[in-house]
């Protein structure tokens, strides 16, 4: 399953959301998420965590491997039950073989910071995307998806596309309206597309959806500098009184709880929604609920 996270303009926190989404994914032996940082403008995650790319890891290595037919898995491998996959396929689905582990255990295929190098790797990967589909849950950080770009081409190969937007600003709202036909064409091709509204947007979901060709709003991500710092590997204690109280109250119940942070709480709900869309576990639901999740 490929979940692509992108924006249409500006920088409304695509990478932060992608990291939070993967960190909050309902992981199991079947679905262990991997982040692929396919941002043609250059990556941030390795710099956030002070990581140096190991040999044969990262976006450039993944793109190079995608051009080798022997390394591209059979189409049915991605859909095969876990018990029929080989031990190596279970332990190391293709994107994970090119990933580094960041503090906290998250696996990331990091993009180089150089835009020229990153852009070339994204272009190669967009032409040979089969390796992305071989993972059970691959979160692809596309960054800004400019129509006609390699990053936008990657969206055509995703199962779900999360469009991060801040329509509270006039410029973002105008860009969302202008790009709505392109996003609607993704939906017509069978890709699920939803909006993720960030910041303080005064407009209701129905109004935002209306200017975006009736694409649904799947989540709202409040402004959360503490949560954003956490996904960057930084520690920033809460400053506002209500945040400090929420942190204290959550830690009393569970010292490891992070859901008092608005970003983490919203990302967890969004991750559970995406996991439901994948169809895993639908057989255990009632027929009406299963039909609603599959719609």
């Amino acid at each position: 399953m490929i979940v692509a996270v992108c924006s249409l303009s500006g920088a409304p926190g695509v990478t932060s959301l992608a990291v939070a989404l993967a960190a909050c994914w309902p992981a199991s032996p079947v679905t262990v998420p991997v982040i692929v940082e396919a941002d043609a403008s250059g990556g941030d995650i390795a710099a956030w965590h002070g990581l140096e790319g190991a040999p044969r890891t990262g976006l450039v290595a993944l793109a190079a491997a995608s051009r080798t037919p022997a390394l591209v898995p059979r189409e049915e491998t991605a859909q095969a039950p876990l018990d029929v996959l080989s031990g190596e396929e279970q332990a190391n689905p293709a994107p994970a073989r090119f990933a580094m582990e960041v503090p906290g255990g998250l696996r990331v295929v990091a993009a180089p910071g150089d835009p020229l190098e990153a852009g070339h790797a994204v272009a190669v990967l967009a032409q040979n995307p089969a390796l992305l589909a071989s993972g059970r849950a691959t979160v692809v950080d596309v960054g800004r998806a400019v129509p006609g770009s390699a990053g936008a081409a990657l969206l055509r190969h995703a199962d779900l596309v999360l469009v991060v937007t801040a329509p509270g600003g006039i410029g973002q709202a105008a860009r969302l309206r202008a790009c709505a036909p392109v996003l609607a064409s993704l939906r017509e091709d069978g890709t699920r597309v939803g909006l993720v509204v960030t910041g303080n947007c005064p407009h209701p979901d129905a109004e935002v959806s209306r200017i975006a060709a009736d694409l649904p709003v799947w989540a709202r991500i409040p402004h959360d500098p503490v949560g954003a710092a956490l996904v960057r590997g930084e520690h920033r204690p809460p400053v506002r009184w209500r945040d400090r109280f929420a942190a204290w109250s959550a830690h009393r119940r569970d010292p490891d709880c992070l859901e008092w942070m608005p970003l983490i709480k919203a990302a967890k709900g969004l991750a559970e929604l995406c996991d439901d869309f994948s169809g895993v576990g639908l057989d255990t639901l009632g027929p009406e609920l299963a039909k609603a999740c599959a719609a």
Side-chain angles (χ1 to χ4, degrees):
M1 180 184 185
I2 301 174
V3 180
V5 187
C6 70
S7 69
L8 302 175
S9 64
V14 173
T15 301
S16 295
L17 177 60
V19 173
L21 186 71
C24 295
W25 196 272
S28 71
V30 177
T31 54
V32 178
V34 176
I35 297 178
V36 176
E37 194 178 21
D39 189 340
S41 64
D44 296 317
I45 297 178
W48 286 354
H49 297 280
L51 300 176
E52 295 185 3
R56 296 185 295 279
T57 65
L59 183 68
V60 174
L62 177 65
S66 73
R67 304 173 69 173
T68 306
L71 294 180
V72 177
R74 297 186 307 274
E75 183 177 347
E76 61 268 19
T77 299
Q79 305 299 330
L82 187 65
D83 56 358
V84 303
L85 297 178
S86 70
E88 182 180 357
E89 289 172 327
Q90 289 183 34
N92 294 299
R97 296 204 303 269
F98 303 93
M100 298 182 295
E101 188 171 302
V102 301
L106 198 61
R107 295 183 296 176
V108 177
V109 179
D114 182 356
L116 292 177
E117 191 177 6
H120 179 68
V122 172
V124 172
L125 194 58
Q127 296 175 0
N128 307 277
L131 275 180
L132 293 177
S134 65
R136 286 291 176 170
T138 304
V139 178
V140 182
D141 169 16
V142 178
R144 183 176 177 180
V146 179
S149 66
L154 277 177
L155 302 183
R156 297 281 174 188
H157 304 286
D159 300 292
L160 300 176
V161 174
L162 308 180
V163 182
V164 184
T165 182
I170 295 177
Q172 289 266 357
R175 180 60 60 89
L176 181 60
R177 186 190 298 273
C179 294
V182 178
L183 299 175
S185 70
L186 289 174
R187 185 170 58 179
E188 292 171 0
D189 291 340
T191 301
R192 295 183 187 273
V193 184
L195 304 176
V196 178
V197 177
T198 63
N200 298 318
C201 176
H203 309 297
D205 290 354
E207 186 174 345
V208 175
S209 181
R210 180 175 56 81
I211 68 172
D214 295 324
L215 294 174
V217 175
W218 283 348
R220 284 183 176 255
I221 310 294
H223 178 64
D224 180 15
V226 178
L230 176 70
V231 300
R232 293 195 301 267
E234 303 172 3
H235 173 66
R236 178 180 295 182
V239 176
R240 296 183 302 179
W241 182 88
R242 67 179 184 182
D243 290 341
R244 294 170 64 183
F245 177 79
W248 173 81
S249 179
H251 287 169
R252 284 193 64 189
R253 297 189 302 270
D254 180 1
D256 296 325
C257 179
L258 297 174
E259 289 184 43
W260 62 269
M261 300 181 192
L263 172 61
I264 303 303
K265 183 177 181 179
K268 182 178 180 182
L270 184 58
E272 291 173 349
L273 176 65
C274 294
D275 190 49
D276 287 342
F277 283 148
S278 73
V280 176
L282 289 183
D283 292 341
T284 64
L285 302 176
E288 294 184 0
L289 183 57
K291 183 178 179 180
C293 290

